[in-house]
């Protein structure tokens, strides 16, 4: 993996479904992995910053895991709601004054 | 704190004109970033400053783009002359490097349209 890659590119689920998406990144020079939530017509907002291999963070119905050795992170949303509709970005931080490299995001749409 | 403040929110200009985008970071933050968001490339870093000093401007597309940070509370991104392909949303973000949780706080962006 040379760049930060996210999959799937887009996802359409129904209210109540649980879902997850993947962020893959180069495992070398790792400092931290960021997840951001980006609603349409707004600016990205930080969800999690993860640094340790095996780390797991949770915020309400959203959680994330991190594997720094193999270079991936999963974001899970339990019981999706329409307000979860957004683009979810991950970004790799090499520790150089927080210079982040962003993936292209996973666009989630939750319908009733 | 009011968060990262960007101005203007929208800018429409003609090709060849000079465009200046402005950013006020969160007070106390020591790092400031300019990003550009396009459909083709997503969110790409143009330049970032640490303690008002430009650290990495390798993402600046070409010499038509320049950025300054004269003090800890203000930065500008200038495009001169502007071209239609510069049309994009430009985000400014700030963070505190050294806190151990260096998440970025983004401004609301400037939607630039070059005709």
């Amino acid at each position: 993996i040379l760049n930060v890659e996210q999959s799937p590119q887009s996802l359409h689920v129904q209210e109540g479904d649980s879902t997850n998406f993947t962020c893959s990144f180069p495992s070398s020079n790792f400092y931290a992995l960021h997840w951001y939530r980006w609603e349409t017509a707004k600016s990205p907002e930080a969800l999690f910053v993860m640094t340790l291999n095996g780390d797991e963070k949770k915020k309400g119905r959203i959680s994330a895991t991190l594997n720094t050795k193999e270079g991936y992170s999963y974001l899970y949303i339990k019981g999706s709601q329409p307000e979860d509709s957004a683009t979810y970005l991950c970004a790799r931080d090499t520790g150089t004054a927080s210079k982040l490299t962003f993936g292209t995001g996973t666009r989630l749409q939750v319908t009733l | 704190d009011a968060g990262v403040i960007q101005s203007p929110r929208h800018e429409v200009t003609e090709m060849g004109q000079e465009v200046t985008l402005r950013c006020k970071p969160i007070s106390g933050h020591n790092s400031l970033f300019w990003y550009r968001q396009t459909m083709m490339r997503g969110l790409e870093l143009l330049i970032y400053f640490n303690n008002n000093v430009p650290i990495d401007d390798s993402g600046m597309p070409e010499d038509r783009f320049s950025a300054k940070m004269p003090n800890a509370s203000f930065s500008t991104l200038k495009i001169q002359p502007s071209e239609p392909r510069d049309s994009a949303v430009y985000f400014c973000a700030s963070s505190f490097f050294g806190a151990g949780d260096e998440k970025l706080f983004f401004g609301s962006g400037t939607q630039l349209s070059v005709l």
Side-chain angles (χ1 to χ4, degrees):
Chain A
I1 299 289
L2 298 179
N3 295 309
V4 179
E5 298 174 359
Q6 292 188 246
S7 63
Q9 190 173 17
S10 64
L11 197 52
H12 191 164
V13 302
Q14 291 199 318
E15 184 181 15
D17 288 349
S18 293
T19 186
N20 65 84
F21 10 100
T22 306
C23 173
S24 301
F25 53 88
S27 54
S28 59
N29 297 321
F30 178 84
Y31 179 77
L33 193 284
H34 296 224
W35 279 100
Y36 290 82
R37 171 192 155 89
W38 192 357
E39 290 182 70
T40 303
K42 294 187 178 180
S43 51
E45 291 185 355
L47 285 172
F48 307 114
V49 178
M50 308 172 76
T51 56
L52 299 176
N53 184 43
D55 207 2
E56 181 171 345
K57 294 207 171 180
K58 190 174 180 182
K59 187 175 184 179
R61 294 178 291 99
I62 303 177
S63 61
T65 60
L66 178 66
N67 183 322
T68 61
K69 293 183 179 180
E70 295 182 41
Y72 65 84
S73 175
Y74 294 136
L75 188 79
Y76 301 91
I77 301 179
K78 185 178 178 182
S80 303
Q81 299 296 310
E83 56 265 31
D84 296 329
S85 298
T87 296
Y88 292 82
L89 294 168
C90 70
R92 171 177 170 252
D93 185 353
T94 57
T96 311
S98 296
K99 178 181 176 180
L100 302 182
T101 302
F102 281 87
T104 52
T106 292
R107 186 171 183 176
L108 174 67
Q109 187 171 357
V110 183
T111 53
L112 296 171
Chain B
D1 200 313
V4 177
I5 300 174
Q6 288 186 249
S7 63
R9 287 296 302 271
H10 303 275
E11 176 80 35
V12 181
T13 190
E14 291 186 344
M15 183 174 65
Q17 296 297 306
E18 178 180 295
V19 175
T20 299
L21 311 181
R22 297 172 179 79
C23 176
K24 182 181 187 307
I26 291 174
S27 177
H29 281 185
N30 56 11
S31 294
L32 181 140
F33 307 80
W34 282 101
Y35 283 90
R36 178 170 68 177
Q37 189 241 343
T38 61
M39 290 292 290
M40 293 296 292
R41 296 188 173 190
L43 202 59
E44 54 177 340
L45 178 66
L46 300 177
I47 185 171
Y48 77 94
F49 297 83
N50 186 249
N51 292 320
N52 313 337
V53 176
I55 302 299
D56 185 346
D57 65 354
S58 59
M60 296 285 260
E62 47 199 272
D63 292 344
R64 297 184 297 106
F65 285 69
S66 63
K68 293 182 180 180
M69 192 165 186
N71 56 62
S73 59
F74 184 65
S75 176
T76 58
L77 178 68
K78 186 177 291 187
I79 308 173
Q80 165 65 15
S82 58
E83 297 182 3
R85 60 191 166 123
D86 301 331
S87 298
V89 181
Y90 290 80
F91 285 99
C92 175
S94 71
S95 72
F96 183 76
F97 181 65
D101 181 9
E102 288 94 353
K103 58 187 175 184
L104 298 187
F105 293 81
F106 285 83
S108 53
T110 295
Q111 172 80 59
L112 173 64
S113 298
V114 183
L115 306 176

